[in-house]
Amino acid sequence: MDLNKAIDLVKAELVQSRFEHTLRVAEVSKELAVVYGVAVDKVQLAAILHDYAKNWPSEKLKSYILDNGLPRELLDFDKELWHGPVGAHLFENQYGVVDQDILNAIRFHTTGRAEMSLVEMILYLADYIEPGRSFPGLQEVRQASEKNLKYACWLVARNTIMYLMKKNATIHPDSFYAYNDFTRYIK
Ligand code: DGI
Ligand code: FE
Ligand code: FE
Ligand code: FE
């Protein structure tokens, strides 16, 4: 899929503020791709598509998961975790995206997972640090982002888990797998 088609497709699907977030994630992804020597076009396509299903009503996401054989256990976790796997499935099956690295970056952008690829890490990080965000501890992550990709991703995983635990939220195993994997690397 070419980038302009992807932009048109997501623009039609997202509210304006979410579309603008998407463009900022694409811009940050491009910068990180240059720093880490990753194919810019791949990272940008993943970024443009990553939140495609974000504004779907939760009932629509739920039906999509059930009707298309996505992991049922997703439904035991927060609705926020549904849009990545649904988007990845949809682009693979309805739009002919074949690059598994791009699809995995979309699929796992919310939780992360163990052994993430460079493309996956860049999207995971860019989604967190794009200039429209304001999380506690964000400055530290931004500073680390162009120096040490895995350390920056470790901060994202750690901050996200700490934030979720403070809210007494359930946490998906992939979020812990990502955290553990990055922790082993930075030690
Ligand atoms: O779609 P975005 O807002 O750009 O960002 P996202 O898809 O990375 O994250 C959406 C939300 O999901 C964010 O508030 C953090 C939350 N989240 C990430 N991992 C988990 C999680 N929520 C729960 N309950 N469990 C998780 O493991
Ligand atoms: Fe998202
Ligand atoms: Fe994210
Ligand atoms: Fe996002």
Side-chain angles (χ1 to χ4, degrees), residues 50-51 54 83 109-110 127:
H50 84 284
D51 273 340
K54 177 83 176 182
H83 68 283
H109 82 266
T110 304
D127 191 26

Side-chain angles (χ1 to χ4, degrees), residues 25-37:
V25 174
E27 192 54 40
V28 175
S29 294
K30 183 172 151 184
E31 290 163 17
L32 292 172
V34 171
V35 171
Y36 293 107

